[in-house]
Amino acid sequence: MNPASTTLTESVSHVFIYIVALSALFLVGITATMIYFVVRYSRSRNPRPKDIHGNVALEATWTIIPTLLFLSMFYFGWTRWERMREVPRDAMQVEVTGRQWSWSFKYPNGKVSSELRLPIDTPVRCDLRSLDVIHGFFIPAFGVKEDVVPGKHNFAWFDPTELGTYDLLCSSYCGQGHPLMMARVVIMPGDKFKEWYSTREAASGPAHGELLYKTKGCIGCHSITGIRIVGPTWKGLYGSEVTVSTNGQTRTVKADDDYLKRSILDPNADIVQGFPPSVMPVQKDLTAQDVSDVIAYIKTLK
Amino acid sequence: MTTSEALEHHGALSYLEERGRYGGILGWIFSTDHKRIGILYLVSTLFFFFVGMSLGFLMRLQMLSPHGELFKNADYYNALFTLHGVVMVFLFIIPAIPGSLGNFFMPIMIGAKDVAFPRLNLLSWWLYVMGAVIALASLFGSGLPDTGWTFYAPYSLRTHADVPMAVFGVFVLGFSSILTGINFITTMHRMRAPGMGWFKMPLFPWALYATSWVQVLATPVLGITMLLIFVERIFHVGIFNPAMGGDPLLYQHLFWMYSHPAVYIMILPAMGLISEMIPTFAHRTIFGYGAIVWSSMGIALLGSLVWAHHMFTSGLSDAAATVFSLLTFLVAVPSAIKVFNWTATLYKGSIALEPPMLYALSFIFLFSVGGLTGLILGALALNVMLHDTYFVVAHFHYVIFGGAAFAFFGALHYWLPKMFGRMYNRSAAYIGWALLFTGFNLLYFTMFVLGVMGMPRRYAFYLPRFQTSHVIATVGSWIMIAGILVVFTNLIVSVFKGEKAGENPWGGVTLEWQIPSPPPTENFLEPPTIPEKAYDFEGAFAS
Ligand SMILES: [Cu+2]
């Protein structure tokens, strides 16, 4: 736990310490008593046991005191949590989209990014959307977590108070790429953020293709470094010979524009050998321009 | 009179020797004797324990390095944790204690000849075996299982794995559990020996009584849920899948409506075992018999009302989250009461630290750690941080393994001389326990640390900053497994080669200690003498 990276984490860590301390006290107390009794009333020291059937006053004590302590724990946990649920009015809104197996972030001005870049000391509200199964929006350093449930409008908010780069992880098991479903959270000085926020990304060409690669989920399954994730790597893909199975027949094709276009728009037409069918999602929201931009980007990955 | 003399005197054979309608293996798998069925459950649940343990061992190996020590493909790891969970939960810990020790000892402890419905009892075991076979057959279906033991929708509705088959297996297992529950409830209502009033009944039967009600009332919910998954996958009806108008949270509610009470199906019988062992080795009566009985019933009742505390981050309404958090803290009260009463039972006892007692005391410690970390998870603000991390994994292993399984292992040491008439090697038992206890804490306590650091569960690969803790945990798993192997080698060898144990090696006062070891088929050669009070050590020693 990182106690000071948002204003919420600090008060949460107080609850944590409160419950841990009481629990430790209880545990040490019980264990010490147990050991003491075992030694003091061992069979050699105390050969004649005594049947004691109970004691109402004691029973009442150890029912009422723990109940009150437990209720206090509940209370602190609850009130701190209430604050986590009340989003400040002026919070910036970011739409977070989770899909198998990547994240993307959409800002109020329409900017889309594969990293969650945020200005320091500004509350942000993340609206969580899933395109497929349940994911978990989890930033360990901020103690923030909320499930990303398809069909539901969940949210999380926080106000980062320290500059730096943090990890966003998927906490809710979502299949093969679950442990790789990560994104960077970058907390920036306000002016740097503004600068970044107002730069417009390229609207066409390989640069736009790269943006699509990062924000339309391709990055979750295709690497550009040569390693295998869930799908084949894109490194050196363009122009290479690919062994595919088409309608159950194995053949070799050259990865040209046509082949790539078909692979993107109709993933099950040619299945790359050694990879499962029906894993690659059908791309519904890519325009013809988008597809050719992605292909242009793939061309650059030698 | 020694045991064998007693048996000869009555011309009675022990349940191990008695030849029923069939001989050999058939005499076991078609026997309706509750003791033989108990042994069947014992062998089969322990078999699955070892399967589950091996899977867990592989999971820990994978975690040795951030990029996966064993598999570069997450599919295999996903299959491991799914199977580990399904096997340990549905094939081991839920049926283990009621099925084996419950079947064997509950009728004897209440002075009965058998359970109320012996044939139904056999059917339960057969359903258990069939459920297990069906669930395992799903492995050879369309793909590796990869849903986790929780089968969360909509993932479980989309994956290639043979979910319908696995789910059907769980459905059948559920029936096995329900039938056992019905059988036990009826037995305790109808079959208690004359003079064995409700409040003279020992605490293990009481714990089983509470458990059975949970089994009977909660398991149907699981059956329905599994059936709905089945229907949704096969007939494409939108129940849980939002893409078809379903609600994924409905699935979670239904699933936990069973699976949370199921935690109490696992732990309540274990608590009953602790309540047996502590008085016997302290040679004095249990402190607060009534408090322990009522807290069992309290746990069964309250435990059925806290399921949504598994869903605090799922988008549950704030009001619901608050209520479920409050109830979660309340369910801790009866458990705390039990811990206090057990500890008080040591006061002015005459304590022999035999291996079973060591397990019972470790139970109190480990279960307390599990329970107390449950309070941390139950606090809403902290749940947000810790949900779905290793903290949760550590918490439930402390409760279920450190709790239920430690009690089970302890009780095997406690009752093995009764079941087989032979005693194990005590030094080996101590060594096994020490390795088990040390390895256990190294393995699972480290997971609390990992959880607080933010390590999510069900990760085949992880960030390098978690590696040191993962390596420590894995080393812990080796020590723990070494301990388990010592423990079970010792127990198994003793079944065949152990020294003869007398009728009552520990000086216990419950009815099972009045009869020969191993017990005769009819249990009681003469009508049992029911003591004045439950756990009446002074009375027993005076005579
Ligand atoms: Cu995910």
Side-chain angles (χ1 to χ4, degrees):
Chain A
M1 199 173 30
N2 192 337
S5 40
T6 76
T7 54
L8 287 174
T9 38
E10 199 182 338
S11 68
V12 168
S13 63
H14 292 157
V15 191
F16 187 73
I17 291 164
Y18 175 70
I19 301 185
V20 169
L22 277 182
S23 302
L25 211 67
F26 175 95
L27 189 67
V28 170
I30 279 290
T31 313
T33 316
M34 230 158 54
I35 294 174
Y36 172 73
F37 284 167
V38 167
V39 175
R40 170 66 188 78
Y41 301 112
S42 73
R43 200 153 287 173
S44 49
R45 275 215 185 78
N46 194 37
R48 303 212 117 263
K50 197 162 163 6
D51 269 1
I52 303 169
H53 289 275
N55 180 319
V56 178
L58 262 180
E59 296 286 353
T61 317
W62 65 45
T63 307
I64 293 167
I65 293 180
T67 307
L68 295 177
L69 289 177
F70 293 163
L71 287 177
S72 74
M73 296 175 185
F74 159 74
Y75 178 78
F76 291 127
W78 174 49
T79 47
R80 297 308 184 278
W81 175 78
E82 291 262 89
R83 277 191 237 161
M84 296 172 146
R85 306 294 297 169
E86 276 162 32
V87 190
R89 285 260 172 79
D90 57 341
M92 180 169 92
Q93 262 177 312
V94 178
E95 193 179 299
V96 176
T97 303
R99 70 177 99 204
Q100 286 172 319
W101 288 284
S102 61
W103 299 99
S104 71
F105 309 94
K106 193 169 169 197
Y107 291 81
N109 69 353
K111 190 179 175 80
V112 179
S113 164
S114 61
E115 290 178 340
L116 182 55
R117 288 177 175 263
L118 296 170
I120 191 168
D121 294 328
T122 313
V124 51
R125 173 192 166 112
C126 296
D127 289 296
L128 310 173
R129 304 283 178 268
S130 166
L131 296 184
D132 37 51
V133 300
I134 299 175
H135 301 281
F137 176 83
F138 178 30
I139 307 175
F142 301 169
V144 173
K145 183 182 298 112
E146 182 77 8
D147 292 358
V148 186
V149 183
K152 271 191 80 82
H153 292 204
N154 289 352
F155 68 90
W157 82 272
F158 50 92
D159 52 347
T161 54
E162 260 178 45
L163 296 176
T165 305
Y166 306 91
D167 299 303
L168 163 60
L169 307 174
C170 177
S171 56
S172 187
Y173 174 71
C174 58
Q176 201 185 25
H178 172 56
L180 302 173
M181 190 170 158
M182 288 186 237
R184 294 198 321 159
V185 181
V186 185
I187 307 304
M188 315 166 77
D191 45 343
K192 284 254 177 58
F193 174 78
K194 267 210 194 88
E195 199 185 310
W196 174 82
Y197 185 59
S198 48
T199 2
R200 291 188 57 86
E201 318 290 344
S204 67
H208 184 232
E210 179 176 3
L211 181 69
L212 293 169
Y213 164 73
K214 286 181 174 162
T215 56
K216 292 290 178 190
C218 324
I219 192 172
C221 299
H222 297 286
S223 83
I224 52 169
T225 54
I227 64 159
R228 173 188 170 138
I229 313 177
V230 175
T233 182
W234 283 358
K235 187 186 160 112
L237 171 60
Y238 192 84
S240 67
E241 300 278 320
V242 187
T243 313
V244 297
S245 125
T246 312
N247 297 325
Q249 292 202 335
T250 309
R251 63 189 185 111
T252 309
V253 288
K254 195 168 154 69
D256 53 13
D257 290 56
D258 273 352
Y259 165 77
L260 291 177
K261 196 167 158 189
R262 198 166 55 246
S263 295
I264 295 170
L265 295 174
D266 187 6
N268 279 334
D270 304 314
I271 306 294
V272 183
Q273 201 170 47
F275 291 88
S278 319
V279 168
M280 158 120 184
V282 178
Q283 304 301 327
K284 285 184 220 116
D285 56 345
L286 292 188
T287 63
Q289 176 65 43
D290 288 345
V291 173
S292 63
D293 290 347
V294 169
I295 294 172
Y297 173 59
I298 295 178
K299 275 186 202 168
T300 66
L301 304 167
K302 295 275 152 45
Chain B
M1 195 158 39
T2 68
T3 309
S4 48
E5 279 168 23
L7 285 173
E8 261 159 45
H9 177 74
H10 288 84
L13 288 172
S14 85
Y15 80 102
L16 291 171
E17 298 151 328
E18 175 97 34
R19 195 178 178 288
R21 195 132 48 103
Y22 312 97
I25 182 86
L26 294 183
W28 285 89
I29 61 175
F30 292 121
S31 169
T32 54
D33 177 6
H34 68 101
K35 298 181 287 303
R36 288 202 165 200
I37 296 176
I39 301 291
L40 287 179
Y41 268 110
L42 185 63
V43 172
S44 35
T45 51
L46 283 178
F47 168 77
F48 284 113
F49 170 72
F50 276 91
V51 173
M53 184 189 82
S54 313
L55 296 165
F57 171 73
L58 293 176
M59 286 166 71
R60 286 315 315 164
L61 282 188
Q62 168 80 355
M63 291 292 100
L64 272 177
S65 94
H67 308 293
E69 183 74 20
L70 289 185
F71 312 114
K72 301 296 168 212
N73 183 342
D75 280 341
Y76 297 106
Y77 182 75
N78 298 346
L80 282 181
F81 72 66
T82 301
L83 281 173
H84 173 77
V86 169
V87 167
M88 285 300 203
V89 170
F90 295 110
L91 302 181
F92 172 58
I93 201 73
I94 288 182
I97 300 180
S100 64
L101 300 177
N103 258 319
F104 199 110
F105 286 102
M106 183 272 286
I108 302 181
M109 294 174 96
I110 63 171
K113 232 165 55 178
D114 205 320
V115 293
F117 310 113
R119 284 202 248 167
L120 198 64
N121 203 10
L122 180 62
L123 178 65
S124 297
W125 182 76
W126 274 104
L127 285 176
Y128 164 78
V129 173
M130 271 154 45
V133 169
I134 297 171
L136 295 180
S138 72
L139 278 180
F140 305 99
S142 42
L144 288 170
D146 68 341
T147 57
W149 76 279
T150 44
F151 299 106
Y152 265 24
Y155 185 75
S156 60
L157 302 170
R158 304 160 53 112
T159 166
H160 297 292
D162 197 350
V163 172
M165 183 82 121
V167 154
F168 183 60
V170 171
F171 180 80
V172 173
L173 288 168
F175 271 94
S176 163
S177 188
I178 295 173
L179 294 184
T180 303
I182 292 176
N183 216 339
F184 281 11
I185 292 173
T186 319
T187 307
M188 279 176 267
H189 273 276
R190 310 295 310 163
M191 310 276 288
R192 280 172 288 122
M196 175 61 80
W198 278 106
F199 291 95
K200 281 191 194 173
M201 213 162 71
L203 291 163
F204 180 54
W206 259 116
L208 287 173
Y209 185 72
T211 312
S212 299
W213 276 110
V214 182
Q215 278 173 286
V216 170
L217 295 176
T219 318
V221 182
L222 176 77
I224 293 163
T225 316
M226 296 292 123
L227 219 54
L228 289 176
I229 285 266
F230 197 80
V231 167
E232 180 150 8
R233 278 210 52 147
I234 306 278
F235 303 109
H236 304 283
V237 184
I239 302 166
F240 303 130
N241 189 352
M244 294 193 290
D247 181 358
L249 255 54
L250 175 65
Y251 175 80
Q252 297 184 15
H253 277 294
L254 288 172
F255 179 81
W256 289 114
M257 239 178 248
Y258 165 74
S259 295
H260 192 79
V263 172
Y264 297 102
I265 299 180
M266 307 172 201
I267 197 71
L268 274 171
M271 292 171 153
L273 295 174
I274 300 304
S275 307
E276 295 301 330
M277 292 188 272
I278 291 186
T280 298
F281 293 99
H283 267 187
R284 52 150 289 179
T285 194
I286 189 96
F287 191 96
Y289 174 92
I292 294 187
V293 167
W294 291 113
S295 57
S296 288
M297 299 310 273
I299 290 175
L301 184 75
L302 278 175
S304 304
L305 302 174
V306 298
W307 73 85
H309 69 206
H310 298 265
M311 301 165 58
F312 286 152
T313 65
S314 68
L316 197 67
S317 81
D318 289 6
T322 308
V323 172
F324 278 104
S325 169
L326 179 64
L327 287 168
T328 301
F329 280 94
L330 292 182
V331 77
V333 176
S335 299
I337 294 177
K338 282 189 193 272
V339 167
F340 290 125
N341 280 295
W342 288 324
T343 310
T345 301
L346 300 173
Y347 178 65
K348 299 216 162 157
S350 175
I351 300 167
L353 208 54
E354 291 288 336
M357 185 63 158
L358 210 45
Y359 278 96
L361 300 179
S362 338
F363 170 98
I364 297 183
F365 176 80
L366 299 174
F367 176 74
S368 296
V369 176
L372 293 165
T373 50
L375 298 175
I376 297 177
L377 285 168
L380 286 166
L382 302 181
N383 182 277
V384 169
M385 182 174 85
L386 297 170
H387 177 69
D388 267 340
T389 68
Y390 266 61
F391 196 91
V392 177
V393 180
H395 158 70
F396 69 68
H397 280 90
Y398 264 88
V399 176
I400 302 304
F401 190 165
F406 263 70
F408 183 45
F409 296 168
L412 289 180
H413 288 85
Y414 179 52
W415 275 328
L416 190 112
K418 177 55 61 185
M419 290 191 280
F420 299 101
R422 289 173 191 275
M423 186 56 84
Y424 44 83
N425 180 314
R426 280 176 81 229
S427 331
Y430 285 123
I431 295 171
W433 170 84
L435 288 170
L436 175 57
F437 188 79
T438 314
F440 177 94
N441 284 296
L442 203 56
L443 168 56
Y444 295 114
F445 197 84
T446 314
M447 291 193 183
F448 283 126
V449 178
L450 275 167
V452 173
M453 286 166 72
M455 167 78 206
R457 61 194 288 205
R458 296 176 170 177
Y459 265 37
F461 322 110
Y462 55 86
L463 296 168
R465 65 167 182 266
F466 299 121
Q467 188 174 14
T468 314
S469 306
H470 271 304
V471 172
I472 295 175
T474 301
V475 171
S477 77
W478 297 337
I479 300 175
M480 185 178 89
I481 290 174
I484 294 173
L485 294 179
V486 172
V487 167
F488 281 94
T489 314
N490 185 27
L491 290 179
I492 293 168
V493 168
S494 71
V495 166
F496 300 101
K497 299 225 164 79
E499 267 176 42
K500 288 254 185 296
E503 239 166 62
N504 190 358
W506 316 123
V509 296
T510 34
L511 294 187
E512 79 273 25
W513 302 114
Q514 290 185 11
I515 60 173
S517 313
T521 308
E522 300 286 312
N523 293 348
F524 297 94
L525 302 175
E526 297 145 7
T529 24
I530 312 293
E532 274 298 298
K533 298 177 220 120
Y535 306 103
D536 186 8
F537 280 84
E538 270 169 13
F541 280 106
S543 61

